Amino acid sequence: MADVRIAQAALGALLACACESPIDDPREIEIVSVITRADRPLTLNRSALVAGKYRLMAADPYAFFRGTFPLYLHDVEAGDLGGETSPYFRAVSPYSVGDAHVENFGTLLGGDGALVVETNDLDGADRYPYLIEVRRLAISAVVATRLSNPDDQGARSVAIGSERENALALARSYADTMRALAAGVAREPIEDAAESPVLADLFDRAEGDLEDRSELAELTILEDGNRRLVRGSVDEDVPENVYVDVPAVVASALPGAIDRYRATLDSPPAAEFFGIKDAVREFGSGVASWPRVRFILLVEGPSKDVEDDILLEVKEIGDSGARPATFETVNGADIRERILRARGYCWTRPNAEPLWGMTDLLGLSMQIKLESEAHKTLRVRRLEEDLGTPEALLALSTDLGRMLANVHAGSEALEPGLLRAIADAVGSDTGGFAEEQSAVAIAYADQVLADHARFAHALDVLGPTLGVTPGDADGHDPDAAALIGTPPEAPE
Amino acid sequence: MRFSTVLLFFVLLSLSEVAFAQPEPEPEPEPELAVPPVVAEPSQAAPTKPSEPPPLPPPPAVAAPVSPETPPAKPIVDPFSLSGARASFPLVDGLEPFVIEAHLSLFAQYVLSVRDDNGVTDWFHEFEVTRAHARIDAEFEGARARVLVEGVRSATEGALLGVAGDSFILRLREAWAGYTAWDIIETRLGMVPTMTTGPIESLWGMRMVAASGAERAGLLSPADLGGTIRGLFPKGFGWVGVGAYNGEGYSQRELNRGKNIEIATELHPFAFSDAAAPFTVLASYSSGSSGTGLARSDRVSTSLGWQGDVIRGGANFTYAWGNADQGDTLSLLGEGFIRVRPIERLSLGANAVFWKRDLASESDWLVTITGSAGYFIVDPLGIFLAVDGFLLGEQAEQALPPKDDVRFRVIGAVDF
């Protein structure tokens, strides 16, 4: 009998090792697990930067939405999106934005000086089943509606009253555009605002800053006839957004990286164009890419004149997180090829940003693109006053559906018949398709906002990196540490 | 009625063993690649029959390379499921029973995948290395140690950078030290094999064709950092063990204070009978968590099977509380498998896995059916043809696109 008691006590002690979770809510545990798993390499590698990203996500619901694409993919894979199977699903996987959402579209400056609205973030671009991207975009439209008019509760309530209409309009627009494209209508780049107040604002701001070369005024200074990049804070709204000196190891590696980058451009300017005049490490930019290594380069530009100097953004790119969608997919080991293909297939206007290319820097895959104030991104925080009315949001949603269809249409060149397959999947019942996507979008938007509260709570309980902390063996050699850099102290 | 049916089943199996059994003239038969004796998965070393560990042969006075004339050394404690072509060296002064063995295991395959791509048949083909293991075992009296490295793509999940692209690199799969006391208590500490996966795979004996369904589904990990202690039943009746692990598997670091506990047993209830000894019962329960949020990850696994030389097969059921970071999801996996050796060197196998990913969803299921035929050209080297068919419930199909419909494989397997 005593032996039995001893055995029971021993078993109890063993099982007690399986400690209780510090969090009670299963969904909260799930969020923590998915996010920490997705970010683990970065957290172990650069925990202070990941902590900055989580801080941003906890403070802003839309930043949380932007930073949780892995959670969305996880929910899709777990079958937790919409709850039911969809008659509109087909395993048709065009190149797509990857994390299609409102703030991943904006103006790009073409080689001819013209502006066009395209997807302006290819970090997660890859081949995805078309439907999960339509849904992601519709969800973002609903979330954006709910976060619109941040300083006017009444206007926000009115806008929220139209959220279902917005999601319906987006899905209808996607379906109608896709059918037209499948019927042979050419992709139509968005080069003007038409009836959309939000796009009109976007173009107005972009054109104004293009003319002024605002980036030179705001991000550089002229000293004794020489231009250089500023150091310190560059965005008063984001105190952590600062420029600091690049370490010597990076400075010495940049010219080679630029040479390799030039080879990925369709029409590369002369090598002199890319003569590096100055370089800085940028901290505190983006959301999902907040922990990524990012530099800003000041290069010579078309002539020796300091007034036509050019700024380039050099940003580390990681895996997309997409499941292999087809046999001939681009896997995570080939980030460079993934971005270059996405550039070719997703943009409606060929070579919409002629300086967008890829390189590698000290072992990291890096994307280089023009840093210009003419590149304006749709921002949820700007959806207020005239841009936050139900009419403006409806027009924006319609445009987003059209833009995504155009993004997907580019893959027809890669896989003939793809457009017809999507059009067939959507079918002729546009109303039914739109109703389903609208219902999914509203339900998941509820989930996003509830998840945001859960995330903030988990961060409070588990600490700044959700409980994942690097060990002593995770330190870097001096060069790697210099490459990653040390972010400035977070504001209180 | 049921008991008599089971009894009849055993009798028939026993008769088939007798009817198909090949004459085994050697006093100590060399285990073959796919025919581990009773409990023979390399990662699950446990003496089952006979209960006494075989005495080590007297080592030669000086170490010498193994030649065809040199009989292979006795295996270390457990009968490895290999060819017997291992290299063993008495390394100390030639008089101590200190044995080191080196082993290599390599599975490579050519895969032709075919799928329906919206009405159009699409296909892809590639060569793969599905296993590249090299291991060193050492024993001195009751003390044992193993280091096993495996080849893996460098840019798999968790890798921030690949190594020279996405090259194959070597990483630790097992690294443990152990001690067996009085031939009844065995302990291991380090990166150890867990106690559920290996015995299930051994039950089928066709690891070169496929891992167990539960491992493929990600419900079980074959190894983890931790320790195990097993009690070895005498006369080949099996063992019972308890293990404590980090719980994140062998490819991830620990993220929480919770430790996974595994309680497992392998029983051969008819070990007293030569004819019925191959009947095997496996059962395990693991209580665990994963991630910093300690998402629940508990498993119950039970298997019944027959581990004969000519016929082996059985069924496994694994029930999971928590799946893929969802601690409140219940999941069930059932797997049936059989392998027959109708003539010497020929192996025919079949395996069917049904996995209900989420019991709350009617159509969230996958079925994988595999058929294979293989021939051992020489003891350590076999070549197999395999066909896999896949069926998915509607929800699983939408959640996990794209899917292959059929895969054809040519597999080469070598095990020294």
Side-chain angles (χ1 to χ4, degrees), chain B residues 52-397:
Chain B
E52 296 293 326
L56 291 165
V62 292
V66 175
S67 70
E69 291 72 39
T70 306
K74 279 279 194 179
I76 297 173
V77 180
D78 58 325
F80 293 103
S81 61
L82 307 176
S83 67
R86 64 186 64 83
S88 298
F89 307 97
L91 290 184
V92 185
D93 56 7
L95 299 175
E96 299 291 344
F98 180 22
V99 179
I100 283 190
E101 296 182 352
H103 300 269
L104 289 173
S105 178
L106 180 74
F107 304 159
Q109 64 180 11
Y110 165 81
V111 187
L112 171 63
S113 304
V114 180
R115 70 173 63 143
D116 174 73
D117 190 1
N118 296 293
V120 179
T121 300
D122 199 2
W123 62 275
F124 195 67
H125 62 159
E126 62 181 324
F127 292 96
E128 296 175 343
V129 174
T130 55
R131 168 177 280 189
H133 282 184
R135 79 173 197 267
I136 298 287
D137 287 303
E139 181 189 2
F140 179 76
E141 297 183 342
R144 296 188 62 196
R146 169 179 294 171
V147 173
L148 189 160
V149 294
E150 69 175 358
V152 64
R153 287 282 184 194
S154 64
T156 50
E157 183 185 13
L160 200 57
L161 291 171
V163 176
D166 193 9
S167 306
F168 265 105
I169 58 169
L170 291 176
R171 71 174 177 192
L172 277 183
R173 163 70 175 265
E174 289 183 34
W176 51 262
Y179 186 72
T180 304
W182 310 298
D183 299 328
I184 57 171
I185 299 289
E186 178 222 66
T187 59
R188 294 175 180 178
L189 190 64
M191 188 179 285
V192 299
T194 54
M195 294 182 289
T196 305
T197 307
I200 296 172
E201 289 177 351
S202 181
L203 206 54
W204 185 33
M206 297 284 275
R207 177 60 183 83
M208 70 291 292
V209 173
S212 74
E215 184 181 345
R216 278 181 274 162
L219 298 179
L220 298 175
S221 175
D224 204 337
L225 285 110
T228 59
I229 179 166
R230 294 197 296 172
L232 311 175
F233 300 146
K235 301 185 183 303
F237 279 94
W239 52 263
V240 61
V242 176
Y245 317 107
N246 278 346
E248 304 290 340
Y250 67 97
S251 61
Q252 301 289 351
R253 72 176 62 192
E254 174 64 331
L255 288 174
N256 60 48
R257 285 186 292 180
K259 295 291 164 280
N260 284 23
I261 303 298
E262 181 184 35
I263 301 169
T265 186
E266 174 171 340
L267 299 175
H268 304 279
F270 305 112
F272 53 82
S273 159
D274 285 346
F279 178 66
T280 304
V281 179
L282 306 175
S284 73
Y285 170 72
S286 64
S287 168
S289 60
S290 67
T292 56
L294 285 92
R296 190 180 185 189
S297 181
D298 297 351
R299 309 283 184 261
V300 163
S301 182
T302 59
S303 303
L304 281 180
W306 183 267
Q307 287 184 285
D309 284 340
V310 177
I311 295 177
R312 60 174 51 204
N316 164 260
F317 296 92
T318 299
Y319 189 88
W321 290 266
N323 177 35
D325 296 324
Q326 294 182 301
D328 53 350
T329 295
L330 303 178
S331 188
L332 175 68
L333 183 141
E335 180 176 16
F337 39 81
I338 188 166
R339 191 209 65 193
V340 180
R341 298 178 64 221
I343 60 172
E344 193 175 8
R345 297 189 181 279
L346 180 65
S347 255
L348 305 175
N351 179 305
V353 178
F354 171 79
W355 181 26
K356 193 83 182 290
R357 296 197 316 153
D358 181 357
L359 291 179
S361 170
E362 280 190 12
S363 62
D364 198 353
W365 54 264
L366 298 84
V367 169
T368 306
I369 299 170
T370 298
S372 68
Y375 188 80
F376 291 89
I377 299 164
V378 292
D379 275 355
L381 178 79
I383 186 163
F384 293 77
L385 303 176
V387 181
D388 308 297
F390 303 90
L391 297 169
L392 277 73
E394 194 172 5
Q395 181 140 345
E397 187 169 358

Side-chain angles (χ1 to χ4, degrees), chain A residues 86-97 126-135 170-183 187 325-326 345-346 401-430 433-434 436-437, chain B residues 117-120:
Chain A
S86 170
Y88 305 102
F89 172 83
R90 297 287 188 284
V92 188
S93 300
Y95 262 96
S96 191
V97 182
D126 209 325
R127 298 189 71 168
Y128 296 88
Y130 90 94
L131 191 60
I132 74 167
E133 284 281 90
V134 174
R135 288 177 167 183
L170 187 149
R172 276 197 212 103
S173 172
Y174 178 89
D176 292 342
T177 306
M178 187 54 69
R179 266 194 294 275
L181 289 164
R187 297 163 93 188
T326 67
Y345 294 122
C346 291
R402 180 162 57 114
M403 286 191 275
L404 187 64
N406 276 303
V407 167
H408 290 176
S411 294
E412 179 74 5
L414 172 73
E415 191 177 316
L418 178 140
L419 276 177
R420 173 47 55 197
I422 296 178
D424 288 347
V426 171
S428 57
D429 179 16
T430 303
F433 176 78
E436 184 193 91
Q437 306 332 311
Chain B
D117 190 1
N118 296 293
V120 179

